[in-house]
């Protein structure tokens, strides 16, 4: 009752969820909350989706409701439930939707027969067939928490054992005609972490993932959350479940066809390497570049990529006109074999070579009069646009060679200053002062490269 009242009032805080997933829950308190169904609808609006659910029970959940409500947006669905009674109800619920495949098996790392423990249907226990596990102890704990029992014998009398067939996750999906599902939902009473890892090991990168965390240990919860965040997922949680959307999955400004598979960058040499990101020439278009994380296992790389995606989306909305002038055009997000890639225009010199950053040019050539003039023009443009950039460093500026000794400076990252943007919005004079402050910082950094000073902004 309390939970329903909180949801009706729009309250998403849960002390139990905070205790179980502190990192996820603290972050979701400071950003827009999205329910699992919201994410499903958003993805289904973007394209028809393929879904896999392990532990579907009778299909009465948000994913099952989406399949029933919007069957035209379901490309293929695989619903897996090992319990025979629950599976019979699941089969009846979706028998009229031809693209839904129901499978009465369990999922494990190796195929074969397994013993599945559950609560007897005629036991009169208020649990039903919602509890089923390979681990007998898990079912015993569930019974003890909900039923007053006097002995171990009484608990044992309430447990049913059935032999079920098991198969692997990728084999089940392959038989159902699903190569790379868009949605993975798992509810396997404590086996959820293993299922999610099986999906990753099979090469899956679902756009949306949901799993039940309440039966996992604290160590398992944190390890799984860390792995998902490192793979680019933005997570939400409640008292029982964690769900997440992988950055760029819905491709709101995406290019190319999601069904064509990820863009292959492995084996290519990046033309630029940063601390958190690497930049490649787009394999299909030499006028574009693709930015991806430098190290998939480093959460800081994913954080930097997420900030840049947010910046690109903000630029697309507020500074679309300026992007063709001093900011490379943002073409969209694309799936790659190294994660979500940011696709932008590639800066090239008049002779076709990839343009160098200003810091490298200053070190090699010094601050020539023509480069100094280009710096002055960039400062003037920033003042006119009142664009408060994040990092006024020469390494974040590309010098595009227009002619033999004619240059145009382009800002390639750090376009959105988060710390002082509220002050810049108070009054135009505040924005002008902050921009002049940034330009003086730019001059100091350039002076360190040349050993001399620059004229102040």
């Amino acid at each position: 009752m309390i939970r329903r009242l909180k949801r009706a009032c729009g309250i998403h805080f849960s002390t139990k969820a905070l205790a179980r997933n502190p990192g996820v829950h603290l972050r979701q308190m400071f950003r827009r909350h999205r329910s699992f169904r919201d994410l499903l609808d958003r993805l289904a609006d973007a394209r028809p989706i393929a879904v896999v659910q392990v532990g579907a029970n009778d299909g009465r959940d948000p994913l099952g409701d989406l399949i029933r409500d919007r069957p035209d947006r379901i490309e293929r669905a695989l619903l897996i439930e090992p319990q025979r009674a629950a599976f019979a109800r699941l089969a009846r619920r979706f028998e009229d939707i031809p693209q839904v495949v129901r499978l009465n098996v369990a999922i494990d790392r190796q195929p074969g027969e397994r013993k599945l423990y559950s609560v007897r249907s005629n036991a009169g226990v208020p649990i039903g067939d919602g509890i089923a596990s390979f681990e007998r102890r898990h079912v015993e704990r569930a019974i003890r928490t909900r039923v007053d029992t006097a002995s171990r014998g009484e608990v044992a009398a309430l447990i049913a054992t059935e032999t079920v067939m098991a198969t692997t996750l990728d084999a089940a999906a392959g038989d159902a005609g699903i190569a790379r599902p868009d949605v993975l939902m798992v509810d396997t009473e404590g086996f959820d972490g293993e299922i999610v890892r099986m999906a990753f090991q099979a090469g899956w990168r679902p756009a949306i993932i949901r799993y039940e965390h309440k039966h996992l240990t604290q160590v398992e919860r944190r390890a799984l959350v860390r792995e998902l965040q490192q793979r680019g997922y933005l997570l939400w949680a409640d008292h029982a479940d964690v769900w997440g959307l992988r950055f760029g999955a819905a491709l709101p400004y995406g290019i190319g066809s999601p069904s064509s598979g990820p863009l292959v960058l492995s084996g290519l040499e990046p033309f630029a390497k940063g601390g958190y990101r690497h930049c490649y020439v787009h394999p299909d278009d030499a006028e574009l570049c693709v930015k991806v994380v430098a190290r998939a296992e480093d959460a800081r790389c994913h954080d930097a990529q997420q900030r840049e995606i947010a910046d690109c989306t903000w630029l697309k909305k507020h500074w679309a006109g300026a992007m063709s002038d001093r900011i490379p055009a943002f073409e969209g997000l694309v799936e790659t074999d190294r994660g979500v890639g940011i696709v932008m225009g590639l800066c090239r010199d008049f002779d076709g070579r990839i343009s160098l950053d200003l810091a490298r040019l200053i070190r090699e050539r010094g601050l020539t009069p023509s480069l100094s003039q280009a710096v002055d023009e960039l400062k003037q443009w920033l003042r006119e646009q009142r664009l408060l950039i994040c990092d006024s460093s020469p390494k974040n500026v590309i010098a595009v060679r227009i002619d033999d000794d004619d240059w145009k400076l382009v800002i390639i990252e750090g376009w959105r200053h988060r710390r002082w943007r509220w002050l810049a919005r108070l009054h135009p004079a505040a924005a002008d002062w902050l921009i002049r402050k940034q330009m003086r910082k730019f001059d100091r950094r350039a002076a360190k490269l040349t050993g001399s000073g620059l004229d102040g902004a």
Side-chain angles (χ1 to χ4, degrees), residues 23-36:
V24 174
H25 208 71
L26 283 173
R27 277 189 289 273
Q28 79 180 29
M29 291 167 62
F30 299 101
R31 63 170 177 250
R32 181 180 177 185
H33 185 273
R34 286 192 177 275
S35 70
F36 179 60

Side-chain angles (χ1 to χ4, degrees), residues 170-435:
D170 53 344
D175 291 344
I178 299 175
R180 291 178 177 269
D182 300 292
V183 179
L184 173 64
M185 182 173 174
V186 184
D187 184 354
T188 53
E189 300 297 314
F191 201 57
D192 303 64
E194 285 297 307
I195 299 292
V196 172
R197 292 186 182 95
M198 289 178 204
F200 290 146
Q201 290 164 6
W204 294 6
R205 300 183 67 251
I208 297 173
I209 284 181
R210 172 171 163 170
Y211 63 91
E212 190 178 42
H213 67 76
K214 69 179 182 179
H215 299 301
L216 303 178
T217 66
Q218 192 73 343
V219 172
E220 290 173 325
R221 288 189 197 109
R222 292 181 178 178
L224 194 53
V225 163
R226 191 181 308 114
E227 182 172 1
L228 286 165
Q229 290 174 335
Q230 289 174 352
R231 292 178 180 271
Y233 285 88
L234 182 63
L235 302 176
W236 292 266
D238 60 19
H239 71 288
D241 299 295
V242 170
W243 60 96
L245 174 70
R246 183 168 46 77
F247 263 91
L251 300 180
Y253 302 108
I255 61 175
S257 171
S259 61
S260 62
L263 194 67
V264 178
L265 300 178
S266 298
L268 301 179
E269 182 66 24
F271 68 85
K273 293 183 179 182
Y276 298 131
R277 283 185 298 273
H278 289 172
C279 201
Y280 294 81
V281 176
H282 196 296
D284 301 328
D285 191 337
E287 297 303 315
L288 299 176
C289 65
V290 184
K291 292 183 180 181
V292 295
V293 295
R295 297 174 299 280
E297 70 282 358
D298 192 338
R300 294 174 300 174
C301 295
H302 291 282
D303 290 341
Q305 184 79 335
Q306 291 166 10
R307 286 194 298 269
E308 183 138 341
I309 290 173
D311 287 351
C312 289
T313 306
W314 176 78
L315 284 170
K316 189 83 172 180
K317 181 177 181 181
H318 298 286
W319 296 84
M323 290 184 74
S324 60
D325 192 10
R326 298 281 181 174
I327 299 173
F330 171 49
E331 300 294 342
L333 306 175
V334 66
E335 292 289 341
T336 79
D337 58 354
R338 294 180 59 85
V340 176
I342 302 172
V343 183
M344 305 194 77
L346 177 59
C347 296
R348 289 185 179 273
D349 294 342
F350 74 99
D351 58 2
R353 297 179 182 179
I354 297 175
S355 303
L356 303 177
D357 65 82
L358 182 60
R360 180 174 173 180
L361 273 179
I362 292 175
R363 283 193 297 266
E364 292 179 355
R365 295 168 169 257
L367 193 64
T368 63
S370 56
L371 279 177
S372 182
Q373 180 182 347
V375 170
D376 292 337
E377 292 172 355
L378 177 63
K379 292 178 182 179
Q380 181 61 30
W381 180 83
L382 287 171
R383 285 194 293 264
E384 291 174 354
Q385 297 292 329
R386 285 199 169 92
L387 178 59
L388 187 64
I389 58 178
C390 175
D391 187 358
S392 54
S393 172
K395 66 181 178 62
N396 291 336
V397 175
I398 292 294
V400 181
R401 193 177 182 184
I402 301 173
D403 207 339
D404 285 336
D405 198 25
D406 190 10
W407 305 86
K408 179 179 180 180
L409 302 187
V410 177
I411 305 170
I412 57 168
E413 63 181 14
W415 310 284
R416 189 183 186 192
H417 199 299
R418 290 174 170 82
R419 184 177 180 185
W420 297 112
R421 60 183 177 179
W422 63 272
L423 182 57
R425 288 197 296 261
L426 289 179
H427 195 275
D432 293 340
W433 177 78
L434 287 169
I435 291 171

Side-chain angles (χ1 to χ4, degrees), residues 40-87:
L40 291 175
D41 283 329
R42 176 185 173 187
L43 191 65
D45 288 340
R47 62 177 186 268
I49 58 176
V51 305
V52 172
Q53 184 177 8
V54 183
N57 202 267
D58 60 5
R60 299 185 183 278
D61 51 53
L63 184 55
D65 292 342
L66 174 76
I67 296 171
R68 292 292 309 172
D69 297 343
R70 307 181 66 183
D72 59 308
R73 306 308 296 166
I74 304 300
E75 181 181 50
R76 198 72 171 166
L78 171 62
L79 308 181
I80 300 171
E81 173 53 48
Q83 298 181 89
R84 295 186 182 92
F87 178 79

